[in-house]
Amino acid sequence: MLTEERTSNTQSTEEQVPLSVTRNGQIYEEPLIFERSIPGRVGFSFPEDDAGLDHEIKGDLLREEDSLHLPEVSEPEVVRHFTRLSTWNYGIDLNLYPLGSCSMKYNPRINEEVAALPHFKDAHPSMPPRYNQDVLQVVHQLQDMICQLTDMPAVTLQPAAGAHGELTGLFLMQAYHRDKGQERKVILVPDSAHGTNPASCTLAGYDVKELKSTRQGLLDLDDLKANLSPDVAGLMITNPNTVGVFETNIRAIADLLHENDSLLYMDGANYNAIIGQASLGKMGVDVSHLNLHKTFSTPHGGGGPGGAAVVVSHRLQDFLPGPHVVRNGEDFELVSAPKTIGRMKAGIGHFGVLLRACIFIRSHGNQMGAIAEHAVLNANIVRKNLMEHFQLASDNDSMHEVVFSDSKQKKTGFSTMDLAKALIDYGYHPPTVYFPLSVHGAIMIEPTESESPETLDHFSRVMKDIAERMQAGDQDLSSAPHRAFVTRIDEATAARNPVLNYFTK
Ligand SMILES: *Cc1c(COP(=O)(O)O)cnc(C)c1O
């Protein structure tokens, strides 16, 4: 095994590098770029200067020793280094990415084409609005389209991600209550909530009170009523929720809250299931964030720039973070809401992300509803394919994702983690596992509308194959993956003490 070679090869550099640079054909080994460094090697050299100018750094300006320890490599070495590393990544361009609650959908190439146009690519956030009119027009269009799609009166596009949108929404709720001279301290959050919900509440200075779910995976209305005190600023609920089920009582929930002058925050990360089909306005929602990197096909970017649209009701409109774009005759201008909470981000937000979201919506025209239909259909294909082999977490119809528990696998001695790791050997990224916490050993699959029925059938065959191998007691599964770059690791230790240069260690 290559891992053993790595640990035993510690004598000389020559022996450290395995003879084959690839594993499994064309998956390339790659050391840290610092280990590629050869003193004096450069990316490019300046030509001899005919004009006799001296480029050498001299005297006081010269660093005494190279304290930066930057890698010294040639340009092709840099290109190969990063290209090889990029082949270690799993991406939606390789295969199905079934992570539940993440909407890992295909990022259309047309988005990139348009985003690369010079007047968009080179736009600068500090340019005066009169030189940036086409940028402002795009943002204005996106504001308009998102308000129309959600049936909500106003939106901010400033937040950098879903969780940042949550914080924005909570600040808006705080501003609303403070404007009425109230300091409400509590946000109600169902036990099935995404981890970012209670975290954002805490960051915004709220106390979190957890509400129970019913056996069907819906919010328990009696528990809501019992907890509605004058101290409750609002409820934060995901819809469709994290068990992949639509909260059919959402309007009743909104009415109960409003009678108490509390607000309804709907986590709209799962908006893909209802886009073009449902009105957030009619549900009675006061504030909701829609992750542009989920529903609107912008790249997830591994922690890079994301974006969220935060839509609000009339109650919260005056407090929106500024600035947003308004149209004044032929011109587009930046203005702030009258009682704005201030900025959540420099400029108008991540324009490159906003632009891609805008193109995604425009390229679907009035067919946005078909996205939700196909996303829901695909989740239900997987549900139907797998329901004999895996235990459904809820009997209610699935929306855009399907959640199973591990109860059928538990008797075999194998875990949800074993299933997730085994999938890697078949060339699939694992689904979301052990979330939501309310489902034991949860396996949460969201195919999105991007996938063909053939891909879903193949994935289902793989899932069933693993389930059958578990039944047969195939011990190989407890140490899977076997064919991946890194085999089974101690995840907690790996997260705390990552070994990044395992190629030579
Ligand atoms: C993804 C997600 C979030 C957080 O969004 P980020 O953009 O990752 O910060 C919040 N709630 C739910 C339900 C989600 O699925």
Side-chain angles (χ1 to χ4, degrees):
M1 267 182 63
L2 279 164
T3 26
E4 283 159 25
E5 282 169 29
R6 282 192 200 111
T7 43
S8 61
N9 285 342
T10 50
Q11 269 82 42
S12 75
T13 320
E14 225 168 50
E15 281 172 36
Q16 275 173 21
V17 182
L19 207 51
S20 168
V21 294
T22 75
R23 148 115 40 126
N24 287 345
Q26 303 245 327
I27 301 179
Y28 285 86
E29 303 274 6
E30 183 60 22
L32 295 183
I33 196 159
F34 295 92
E35 291 165 10
R36 278 199 176 279
S37 181
I38 305 283
R41 185 163 291 170
V42 289
F44 56 89
S45 36
F46 292 106
E48 286 284 319
D49 202 323
D50 299 342
L53 292 174
D54 194 351
H55 293 300
E56 292 283 311
I57 299 172
K58 294 225 176 77
D60 292 352
L61 297 177
L62 198 59
R63 204 191 304 277
E64 273 177 18
E65 58 175 322
D66 181 14
S67 52
L68 288 180
H69 303 299
L70 292 174
E72 297 175 77
V73 282
S74 69
E75 181 173 328
E77 281 173 320
V78 175
V79 170
R80 276 197 190 140
H81 176 74
F82 289 106
T83 307
R84 284 180 177 194
L85 289 186
S86 77
T87 65
W88 295 8
N89 271 346
Y90 191 92
I92 190 68
D93 291 347
L94 277 175
N95 203 1
L96 165 73
Y97 211 135
L99 278 182
S101 202
C102 291
S103 306
M104 306 295 288
K105 63 168 74 173
Y106 175 67
N107 309 146
R109 291 301 179 267
I110 181 82
N111 296 0
E112 303 307 316
E113 290 275 325
V114 179
L117 293 174
H119 54 295
F120 288 139
K121 176 170 68 72
D122 300 334
H124 193 278
S126 303
M127 255 149 81
R130 72 190 141 143
Y131 298 125
N132 245 351
Q133 284 292 302
D134 28 17
V135 166
L136 298 186
Q137 185 174 1
V138 167
V139 176
H140 187 258
Q141 259 185 27
L142 185 60
Q143 287 173 185
D144 254 11
M145 292 189 298
I146 291 203
C147 287
Q148 272 185 48
L149 272 169
T150 52
D151 199 13
M152 297 289 278
V155 65
T156 174
L157 300 172
Q158 270 195 4
H164 195 212
E166 290 172 19
L167 189 65
T168 307
L170 289 160
F171 283 163
L172 292 171
M173 289 164 71
Q174 221 159 40
Y176 169 85
H177 290 298
R178 282 186 184 158
D179 193 51
K180 293 188 153 194
Q182 294 176 354
E183 195 63 41
R184 298 192 175 205
K185 292 303 293 172
V186 177
I187 303 279
L188 303 174
V189 179
D191 54 9
S192 63
H194 194 262
T196 51
N197 290 186
S200 299
C201 292
T202 306
L203 205 59
Y206 282 112
D207 296 329
V208 174
K209 205 163 191 186
E210 195 172 279
L211 296 184
K212 284 192 287 242
S213 301
T214 64
R215 292 250 320 279
Q216 290 78 41
L218 298 173
L219 184 74
D220 187 330
L221 279 187
D222 292 331
D223 200 30
L224 171 62
K225 283 180 203 156
N227 279 289
L228 269 180
S229 66
D231 211 20
V232 172
L235 165 75
M236 213 170 178
I237 190 173
T238 307
N239 191 27
N241 67 23
T242 43
V243 198
V245 174
F246 188 81
E247 285 284 350
T248 38
N249 297 321
I250 188 79
R251 182 73 223 195
I253 291 169
D255 292 343
L256 280 170
L257 288 164
H258 292 152
E259 277 163 31
N260 194 51
D261 202 15
S262 310
L263 298 164
L264 173 58
Y265 189 117
M266 193 187 103
D267 182 328
N270 296 338
Y271 188 61
N272 209 43
I274 54 173
I275 186 168
Q277 303 278 355
S279 153
L280 302 196
K282 289 199 178 120
M283 291 181 205
V285 170
D286 290 300
V287 50
S288 178
H289 75 267
L290 314 174
N291 309 42
L292 301 182
H293 44 282
K294 292 183 180 172
T295 306
F296 297 99
S297 84
T298 68
H300 276 62
V310 174
V311 291
V312 296
S313 67
H314 289 294
R315 289 184 183 86
L316 299 180
Q317 188 168 1
D318 284 351
F319 306 101
L320 279 177
H324 59 271
V325 182
V326 293
R327 186 176 192 143
N328 185 1
E330 289 298 297
D331 297 332
F332 296 93
E333 295 173 355
L334 289 167
V335 298
S336 284
K339 300 178 191 172
T340 179
I341 57 167
R343 280 179 181 279
M344 289 303 290
K345 194 88 185 79
I348 41 176
H350 287 154
F351 175 68
V353 175
L354 304 181
L355 174 60
R356 286 167 175 83
C358 186
I359 298 158
F360 180 72
I361 298 175
R362 295 209 60 180
S363 58
H364 283 78
N366 59 3
Q367 300 297 309
M368 295 302 283
I371 295 175
E373 281 172 17
H374 285 113
V376 171
L377 177 64
N378 278 353
N380 281 283
I381 290 174
V382 175
R383 174 191 170 104
K384 186 105 198 338
N385 283 347
L386 296 182
M387 58 195 282
E388 261 178 47
H389 286 71
F390 295 90
Q391 180 61 50
L392 282 168
S394 163
D395 296 335
N396 286 34
D397 290 340
S398 290
M399 294 290 292
H400 60 303
E401 60 196 0
V402 56
V403 184
F404 298 99
S405 78
D406 65 354
S407 69
K408 289 199 179 178
Q409 279 66 47
K410 245 191 322 203
K411 295 161 228 152
T412 68
F414 291 107
S415 65
T416 292
M417 187 57 80
D418 295 325
L419 168 86
K421 297 295 183 187
L423 275 167
I424 298 170
D425 280 338
Y426 293 79
Y428 282 99
H429 193 285
T432 295
V433 290
Y434 299 104
F435 175 79
L437 301 175
S438 49
V439 177
H440 196 276
I443 305 157
M444 185 190 217
I445 301 166
E446 179 182 7
T448 81
E449 75 278 11
S450 303
E451 301 306 328
S452 66
E454 291 75 21
T455 302
L456 299 178
D457 284 343
H458 185 270
F459 172 72
S460 304
R461 272 176 50 210
V462 167
M463 288 282 289
K464 286 192 257 189
D465 193 55
I466 298 170
E468 279 159 15
R469 286 173 60 196
M470 287 179 167
Q471 292 296 338
D474 183 344
Q475 286 311 309
D476 267 6
L477 290 170
S478 51
S479 51
H482 300 285
R483 304 170 69 197
F485 227 101
V486 187
T487 53
R488 187 78 68 105
I489 50 173
D490 173 347
E491 301 210 343
T493 308
R496 289 196 193 111
N497 303 308
V499 179
L500 299 177
N501 54 345
Y502 70 88
F503 180 65
T504 47
K505 284 286 159 344

